[in-house]
Amino acid sequence: MKKEFGAKTGRFLAFVAAFATFLMAIGKMVLGIYSQATFKNGIVVISAGASSLVIAFCKFLIAKKYDTHNKDQIRTYRLIAWLFMPFAIFFFVSNLISRNDPISDYGLGLDIGITVGLTFLFILSIRGIIKIKDKETLPRAGKLISFVVGLTNLVVIEHLFEAQLNKLFGVEIFSDFKLIFSMSIAGIILFISILMIILSFIKMHQLRKEYGMI
C-alpha cells in the first residue's frame, strides 16, 4: 500500500512538473514575441520557449510511464534521449541566427527577477544531477531534463545581463563569445543525449539477461 501511494504521489508530482514547464514555456514565448514585435532580439527567448515545450512533452512522457514496467521506462528514457538531439541543434541554430540582433531591455527590475528565478532553478538542477545515481530510470531522466532546461536558461540570463551592460555602460558582448557559449551548451546537451542512449541499451541488455532472454 505504501509503495503504491508513493508511486501515485511520484506520478502526480511528475504531471505537476510537466505542467509547470509548459506554463514556463508559454511565458518565454510570449515574452519573446513581445520583444520581436518591437524589433528587438526576441528569437533567443522564443527559441527557449519552444525548446521548453519539447521538455514539457518529455516530462509528460515521464509522468505517463512513471509506474510502468521497466522495459517501458527504458524505452521512454531512450526516446527522451533521442529528442535531446534535435533540441540541441534547434537551440544552437536559433542562437546562431540571432547573435547579431539588437538586444531587448525589459527593465532592470524584471531582468533581476527573471535572472534570480532562472539561477535558482539552475542551482536546483545541479543538486539533482549530484544525486542522480540514487534515482531510478525515469526519475533520473527527469533530473537530466531539469539540468538541460537550466543550461538553456543560461543563454536567457546572458541575454538579460548583456541588455543591462549595454544600457548602463554601453558595453556589448562579442558575438563570437555568444556563438561559443551557445555552441558549448548545445555540445553538452548532445553529449548527455549520447550517454543516455548508450545507458538505455546497457539497461535493456541487463533487463533481458535478468529475464533469461539472452
Side-chain angles (χ1 to χ4, degrees), residues 3 65-79 135-139 199-208 210-211 213:
K3 185 177 180 181
K65 299 289 186 178
Y66 193 86
D67 54 353
T68 56
H69 189 272
N70 286 342
K71 190 175 181 180
D72 288 335
Q73 292 195 22
I74 294 172
R75 286 177 174 172
T76 303
Y77 183 87
R78 187 184 301 166
L79 174 59
K135 302 296 180 181
E136 298 297 328
T137 302
L138 288 186
L199 182 60
S200 71
F201 279 106
I202 293 175
K203 282 182 169 291
M204 188 64 75
H205 177 80
Q206 291 175 341
L207 186 65
R208 289 175 176 173
E210 181 181 341
Y211 283 94
M213 299 175 65

Side-chain angles (χ1 to χ4, degrees), residues 64-135:
K64 184 177 180 181
K65 299 289 186 178
Y66 193 86
D67 54 353
T68 56
H69 189 272
N70 286 342
K71 190 175 181 180
D72 288 335
Q73 292 195 22
I74 294 172
R75 286 177 174 172
T76 303
Y77 183 87
R78 187 184 301 166
L79 174 59
I80 292 172
W82 283 114
L83 287 173
F84 277 173
M85 288 189 175
F87 173 92
I89 295 171
F90 171 75
F91 168 81
F92 173 69
V93 170
S94 61
N95 279 273
L96 175 64
I97 293 173
S98 62
R99 62 174 177 154
N100 292 318
D101 288 355
I103 57 177
S104 302
D105 179 18
Y106 303 115
L108 182 60
L110 185 57
D111 283 358
I112 291 176
I114 295 173
T115 300
V116 171
L118 294 182
T119 301
F120 177 72
L121 292 175
F122 182 61
I123 293 173
L124 287 180
S125 72
I126 292 177
R127 289 184 61 186
I129 289 295
I130 293 174
K131 300 178 180 180
I132 199 169
K133 290 184 178 180
D134 302 329
K135 302 296 180 181

Side-chain angles (χ1 to χ4, degrees), residues 38-56:
T38 56
F39 303 100
K40 298 292 182 66
N41 182 7
I43 295 179
V44 170
V45 186
I46 293 173
S47 65
S51 300
S52 294
L53 286 177
V54 177
I55 293 301

